[in-house]
Amino acid sequence: MKTVGFERHDHDTCQALTVRAVEAHCKREGLQLTPVRKRVLELLIEDHRAFGAYEVLGRLQEEGLGSHAPAAYRALDFLVAQGFAHRIERLNAFIACSHPAEQHAPAFLICRACKSVVETPGVELGSKLEAQADTVGFRIEHAAIEAEGICPNCASEDA
Amino acid sequence: MKTVGFERHDHDTCQALTVRAVEAHCKREGLQLTPVRKRVLELLIEDHRAFGAYEVLGRLQEEGLGSHAPAAYRALDFLVAQGFAHRIERLNAFIACSHPAEQHAPAFLICRACKSVVETPGVELGSKLEAQADTVGFRIEHAAIEAEGICPNCASEDA
DNA sequence: TTGATAGGTGTTACATTATATCATATCAAG
DNA sequence: CTTGATATGATATAATGTAACACCTATCAA
């Protein structure tokens, strides 16, 4: 067990399940989960934190899976497009999706002290936002809901 | 009258009122609304759209108010810190606040076709988000709620 | 078998966005 | 008048992101 997000959980299982789910999804959809793409997904899941594109690139370089910026961006773009990862605008960074498979409008809590990022269910928020957009005739295609602050772990350390 | 956001409004009045309100605020708070800062605020209000930092810098250069990146970033940071402008994470850009003075948790609707950005009241969203954060003990300091899609004007042009 | 297409990757080069740092200027308070 | 706080000038560089083109491979149709 290791600390992930604000809590501990059985991470090995979590990772294995997610990767298998993604593999199945790609097979169904006729998508190619190539070695680079799969490895980037694993990286994101392993630490369960936000990675910058160049941080991902660094890992790919170490492992001989790519050497230039586009390699990382292409893999990340694929994962985001398929909903396996999310882009955190505030951080210019990427994180594995905590609830793949499910349809969801995610919201993120970003700790400015420890940099941890937690995905919280944003369904209600999403529908509220959509309702507001409707009233002015705006059609939402993608929503980013990101809150920055202090997570419970860092808050208790302060005290 | 010119088109602003998705609608027309009396822009000259809007601009004058906002600038005066900001001047008053700075006087009250002992803040310096220096020429650069004031001019950047005016720029943002004039077009009522999102400006990149380097676009702002270009204007400052034309007007002899600054010549290097930090000049623009410093002015923009000041305006954002005081709540006179907002940063649109999705666009790496800045926009004048539509409701200065009022306390608000703004949400933004960003048209991917015409790049217009509209600020909508996000109070309800903000409180919902805060409630969710509370349940895990996270203390929010700043929230960014941004939706990308198609605005009514561009939607009707498509048709 | 050939050729055409599509998707993925390698590579170069460049564009865009942002910040660290140190020097200088200004002004008000002690 | 000097000290401290705040703002600005200037240089350099870091960090993030993309356009464009070449090449490879698999698939599929002629």
Side-chain angles (χ1 to χ4, degrees), chain A residues 53-54 69-70 73-74 87 92 94:
Chain A
Y54 279 79
Y73 282 102
R74 283 164 177 163
R87 179 183 168 85
N92 295 329
F94 302 82

Side-chain angles (χ1 to χ4, degrees), chain A residues 65-112:
Chain A
L65 283 170
S67 47
H68 301 288
Y73 282 102
R74 283 164 177 163
L76 289 165
D77 287 350
F78 170 84
L79 295 173
V80 169
Q82 300 309 318
F84 305 144
H86 299 293
R87 179 183 168 85
I88 308 295
E89 303 289 347
R90 181 81 182 206
L91 303 178
N92 295 329
F94 302 82
I95 193 167
C97 178
S98 305
H99 315 92
E102 306 169 38
Q103 288 304 13
H104 62 303
F108 300 95
L109 304 178
I110 305 164
C111 178
R112 69 167 160 73

Side-chain angles (χ1 to χ4, degrees), chain A residues 19-31:
Chain A
V19 172
R20 243 175 303 158
V22 168
E23 282 171 340
H25 171 101
C26 288
K27 191 149 196 176
R28 270 199 313 281
E29 305 286 328
L31 302 168

Side-chain angles (χ1 to χ4, degrees), chain B residues 2-120:
Chain B
K2 61 185 291 199
T3 301
V4 160
F6 310 149
E7 308 189 338
R8 292 161 179 283
H9 74 175
D10 182 343
H11 195 57
D12 290 345
T13 303
C14 144
Q15 173 170 15
L17 286 176
T18 303
V19 171
R20 241 174 304 157
V22 168
E23 282 171 340
H25 171 102
C26 287
K27 191 147 194 177
R28 271 199 311 281
E29 305 286 327
L31 301 167
Q32 303 182 43
L33 188 61
T34 62
V36 189
R37 291 169 175 180
K38 182 172 176 181
R39 188 69 194 109
V40 171
L41 175 65
E42 288 168 355
L43 282 174
L44 295 183
I45 298 174
E46 271 164 24
D47 280 23
H48 235 313
R49 65 182 175 85
F51 279 75
Y54 279 79
E55 196 178 357
V56 167
L57 177 59
R59 300 294 197 94
L60 293 182
Q61 286 172 333
E62 289 170 12
E63 305 179 15
L65 283 170
S67 45
H68 303 289
Y73 282 101
R74 284 163 175 164
L76 289 165
D77 287 350
F78 170 83
L79 295 173
V80 169
Q82 299 310 316
F84 306 145
H86 300 292
R87 179 183 168 88
I88 308 294
E89 303 290 347
R90 182 79 182 203
L91 303 178
N92 295 328
F94 302 82
I95 193 165
C97 177
S98 303
H99 314 94
E102 305 167 40
Q103 287 305 13
H104 62 305
F108 298 95
L109 304 178
I110 305 164
C111 179
R112 69 166 160 75
C114 67
K115 308 297 177 195
S116 70
V117 176
V118 166
E119 181 176 343
T120 84

